């Protein structure tokens, strides 16, 4: 089914939480492990602007549908960060946007040069890069939907569950765009299939890797995707990727998350 980009743009809206009884978190607070995951998710959502920045120097920004989608997508992801920050605030955890910006600065020259490297490489590849971008985005968004739904299921908090399902619903719309675009572009180009398969197999990692502390990446993977239920979810995510043209047999989620999910718990919350 075709994705209607005009309808998506017209219906893009801030995720709603004003109708929820947020005071429920005062009498029924979340577990420390879940709060740690939510802080990770919040920071990742706020970092979306960096991903948007990198895409603006690639062939993707020249496609009207893609550029329209990315504009709305960036806004919605920021609003997701706001909603999660509200939940964290109810637990006395203040999310300081300046602190998040400072975290980006600590990444140093590698982060500063990233747009330049992205521009050079993607423009050498040409229009087939868009297929890789779309498949990569689909992988990220599939994993985001799974993470939010797993959190809602594990915590079973009446207010958090509603909020996370609302966020997951918006993320599902993002999946629909990315997957539709990826499928259409991969179907018509063997070169795009080879490039995308190589990129996903060699370089894809859980969203937030490279920005967040490795201990936090590991904690999220273990908390949300550890155990039998989590392993089943990982297999389902890999099946989604494998159904894209030319991606049969890929197990990027299992490969990328196995070390963290299977490692013994020895980490602590960073100071």
């Amino acid at each position: 089914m075709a994705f209607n980009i005009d309808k998506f743009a017209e219906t893009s809206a801030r995720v709603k939480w004003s109708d929820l009884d947020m005071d429920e978190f005062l009498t029924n607070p979340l577990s420390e492990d879940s709060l740690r995951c939510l802080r990770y998710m919040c920071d990742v959502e706020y970092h979306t602007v960096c991903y948007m920045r990198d895409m603006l120097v690639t062939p993707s920004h020249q496609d009207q549908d893609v550029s329209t989608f990315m504009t709305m997508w960036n806004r919605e992801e920021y609003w997701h960060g706001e909603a999660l920050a509200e939940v964290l605030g109810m637990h006395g955890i203040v999310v300081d946007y300046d602190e998040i910006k400072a975290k980006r600065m600590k990444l140093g020259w590698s982060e500063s040069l990233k747009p330049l490297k992205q521009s050079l490489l993607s423009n050498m590849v040409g229009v087939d890069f868009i297929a890789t971008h779309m498949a990569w985005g689909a992988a990220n968004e599939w994993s985001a939907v799974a993470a939010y739904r797993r959190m809602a299921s594990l915590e079973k908090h009446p207010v958090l569950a509603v909020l996370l399902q609302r966020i997951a619903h918006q993320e599902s719309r993002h999946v629909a765009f990315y997957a539709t675009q990826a499928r259409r572009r991969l179907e018509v180009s063997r070169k795009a299939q080879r490039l995308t398969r190589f990129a996903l197999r060699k370089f894809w990692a859980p969203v937030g890797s490279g920005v967040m502390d490795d201990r936090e990446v590991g904690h999220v993977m273990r908390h949300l995707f550890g155990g039998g239920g989590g392993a089943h979810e990982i297999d389902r995510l890999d099946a989604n990727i494998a159904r894209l043209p030319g991606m049969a047999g890929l197990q990027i989620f299992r490969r990328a998350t196995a070390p963290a999910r299977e490692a013994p718990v020895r980490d602590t919350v960073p100071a």
Side-chain angles (χ1 to χ4, degrees), residues 139-163:
N140 287 349
E141 298 294 344
W142 267 319
S143 64
V145 172
Y148 284 125
R149 289 180 174 166
R150 282 286 292 172
M151 173 70 81
S153 176
L154 290 170
E155 190 66 38
K156 294 181 172 59
H157 189 283
V159 175
L160 182 71
V162 174
L163 178 61

Side-chain angles (χ1 to χ4, degrees), residues 57-241:
V57 296
T58 73
S60 293
H61 86 281
Q62 298 171 6
D63 183 283
Q64 183 175 345
D65 285 356
V66 173
S67 61
T68 298
F69 168 79
M70 295 294 288
T71 300
M72 300 301 160
W73 166 82
N74 187 54
R75 295 197 313 164
E76 291 187 1
E77 299 287 6
Y78 180 84
W79 291 331
H80 296 169
E82 280 191 328
L84 298 177
E86 186 75 10
V87 174
L88 292 167
M90 297 301 296
H91 293 80
I93 301 172
V94 178
V95 179
D96 187 339
Y97 194 68
D98 287 336
E99 181 182 324
I100 294 173
K101 286 171 63 178
K103 185 180 296 185
R104 293 178 195 151
M105 295 298 292
K106 287 181 181 179
L107 296 176
W109 279 103
S110 62
E111 181 67 12
S112 301
L113 293 174
K114 195 173 179 182
L116 176 60
K117 292 187 291 185
Q118 186 95 319
S119 176
L120 291 173
L121 292 173
S122 62
N123 283 286
M124 286 173 62
V125 172
V127 71
D128 283 323
F129 170 81
I130 304 177
T132 302
H133 172 197
M134 295 295 102
W136 192 287
N140 287 349
E141 298 294 344
W142 267 319
S143 64
V145 172
Y148 284 125
R149 289 180 174 166
R150 282 286 292 172
M151 173 70 81
S153 176
L154 290 170
E155 190 66 38
K156 294 181 172 59
H157 189 283
V159 175
L160 182 71
V162 174
L163 178 61
L164 294 187
Q165 288 296 345
R166 289 177 182 179
I167 293 176
H169 174 71
Q170 287 195 336
E171 299 284 12
S172 293
R173 293 187 349 139
H174 303 167
V175 167
F177 177 82
Y178 278 123
T180 299
Q181 285 275 332
R183 191 170 293 109
R184 176 170 66 82
R185 294 173 184 279
L186 290 169
E187 282 175 348
V188 299
S189 174
R190 287 289 298 165
K191 177 184 173 183
Q193 290 182 22
R194 290 193 294 270
L195 173 67
T196 301
R197 188 180 183 91
F198 174 79
L200 290 175
R201 182 168 57 86
K202 289 289 188 180
F203 303 115
W204 189 87
V207 182
S209 301
V211 176
M212 307 299 291
D213 189 283
D214 287 345
R215 290 172 296 177
E216 297 310 294
V217 179
H219 173 77
V220 171
M221 292 303 106
R222 284 190 298 273
H223 186 62
L224 298 184
F225 299 110
H232 175 76
E233 192 66 33
I234 291 296
D235 289 341
R236 192 180 67 81
L237 292 171
D238 275 329
N240 289 337
I241 288 293

Side-chain angles (χ1 to χ4, degrees), residues 4-17:
N4 189 323
I5 189 63
D6 293 329
K7 183 177 180 181
F8 172 76
E10 290 170 2
T11 56
S12 177
R14 186 186 303 268
V15 66
K16 185 179 179 182
W17 73 82

